[in-house]
Amino acid sequence: MRIAALFTVLLYSFIASSEQLDVVVGWDKPPYVMSADHSGFELELTRAILKELGHELSPIYVPFGRTARLLKDDAVDIALTLNKAHKVSADILSDPYVVYQNVAVTREDRNIKVNGLASLRGKSIIAFQTAKNVLGKEYGNTLASQPNYLEMARQDRQVNMLMLGSVDAVIMDRNIFSYFKAQNDAYADDAVTIHELFPVSAYCAGIPNPKLRAQFNATLKKFFEDGRYQALLTRFRLENLFDKLVEQQLHINES
């Protein structure tokens, strides 16, 4: 009886310590976020980390610009895909858990030489929505102001337009490009050239609760060390960009 009573106490203790956490995340960004089945690399990683901590992830999908606002309003437990540029306190940000890199992509058979943004002047270009606002003043002055420049919310259509020859170049995250290109058998094997014109960007989770944030960081570190992080990247066919982040930081420190 004592053993049964002890088991009951431990069970209720576990239930009491676990909870469903509201996690706010931007709209669809395959393969990082796929709201239709609550999947994607960022959601799956966060879900696995929270599960290890005894919690359940409850996703809330919002336009990307509202993520930081909900966090500031104390309306959610965790907000994904944030960094210091999003006007949230650095004190509540987790360690970086994902790295993005916007690039310019051209078809290899077009043989377009790109040595910098100026090389794309005069070319037809399609970019992700808000690119001219987030990629810097030089980008806006050099490319976004020209008449054959367009921004589009549907990134699968960006890839289609490049691969079918409607534009000379696309500007988007390299992993998102690779994901959509691989989905279409008509051009999945066609060669492209990746032009690394922009730096890599690390993103964190906004977690106001200091205890939860420390637990998240410790568990994320375990995922890096035991191979679970890389296994999840491989599952979603993502290139691991953390090495590029380290190289970039070393270059900055040496400058």
Side-chain angles (χ1 to χ4, degrees):
M1 291 294 293
R2 289 182 180 177
I3 294 176
L6 177 60
F7 176 78
T8 301
V9 170
L10 291 173
L11 177 62
Y12 278 108
S13 175
F14 172 77
I15 293 173
S17 65
S18 64
E19 58 181 315
Q20 189 173 70
L21 300 181
D22 290 329
V23 178
V24 64
V25 60
W27 288 119
D28 281 353
K29 259 184 318 184
Y32 296 103
V33 176
M34 295 181 279
S35 61
D37 58 358
H38 306 304
S39 184
F41 175 80
E42 290 190 53
L43 281 174
E44 294 290 352
L45 176 64
T46 306
R47 180 179 289 115
I49 289 174
L50 294 182
K51 182 178 180 180
E52 186 139 321
L53 297 175
H55 303 306
E56 182 181 345
L57 180 152
S58 177
I60 300 173
Y61 302 101
V62 299
F64 187 66
R66 291 189 57 199
T67 301
R69 192 185 319 159
L70 286 171
L71 193 64
K72 290 178 182 178
D73 292 342
D74 200 26
V76 294
D77 299 296
I78 299 174
L80 298 184
T81 329
L82 294 175
N83 58 29
K84 296 176 183 178
H86 293 101
K87 298 181 181 179
V88 297
S89 172
D91 294 338
I92 68 169
L93 293 178
S94 73
D95 293 336
Y97 72 88
V98 67
V99 179
Y100 285 65
Q101 185 182 26
N102 288 310
V103 294
V105 187
T106 58
R107 285 189 59 100
E108 190 174 283
D109 56 14
R110 288 283 186 94
N111 197 33
I112 297 174
K113 304 299 182 183
V114 179
N115 301 313
L117 289 174
S119 303
L120 292 173
R121 189 180 285 119
K123 304 290 191 302
S124 55
I125 298 168
I126 187 164
F128 64 90
Q129 202 166 37
T130 74
K132 62 184 176 184
N133 297 324
V134 303
L135 292 180
K137 186 176 180 180
E138 181 187 0
Y139 177 86
N141 292 339
T142 306
L143 300 182
S145 59
Q146 60 183 26
N148 50 359
Y149 175 87
L150 176 67
E151 292 185 0
M152 179 178 290
R154 287 278 302 273
Q155 295 197 286
D156 57 332
R157 291 182 179 175
Q158 279 184 255
V159 177
N160 281 337
M161 291 181 72
L162 175 74
M163 299 310 298
L164 297 177
S166 300
V167 295
D168 295 314
V170 297
I171 309 292
M172 62 193 302
D173 174 74
R174 64 192 304 152
N175 279 320
I176 294 177
F177 175 85
S178 296
Y179 173 83
F180 282 122
K181 180 175 179 289
Q183 303 305 303
N184 195 319
D185 292 339
Y187 50 64
D189 297 326
D190 290 4
V192 298
T193 303
I194 303 292
H195 309 277
E196 297 184 349
L197 301 181
F198 310 99
V200 295
S201 299
Y203 288 89
C204 311
I207 309 176
N209 184 309
K211 180 179 179 181
L212 179 60
R213 186 169 61 252
Q215 292 173 331
F216 182 95
N217 287 339
T219 307
L220 174 63
K221 183 179 179 182
K222 285 169 54 180
F223 275 49
F224 281 124
E225 292 173 345
D226 64 21
R228 280 180 287 176
Y229 186 91
Q230 182 58 53
L232 196 58
L233 284 175
T234 302
R235 173 182 160 193
F236 286 99
R237 299 181 180 181
L238 292 170
E239 182 179 351
N240 191 336
L241 299 176
F242 269 96
D243 287 344
K244 289 183 179 293
L245 180 65
V246 173
E247 292 174 4
Q248 179 174 286
Q249 191 57 52
L250 288 174
H251 179 72
I252 292 173
N253 293 339
E254 292 171 355
S255 299

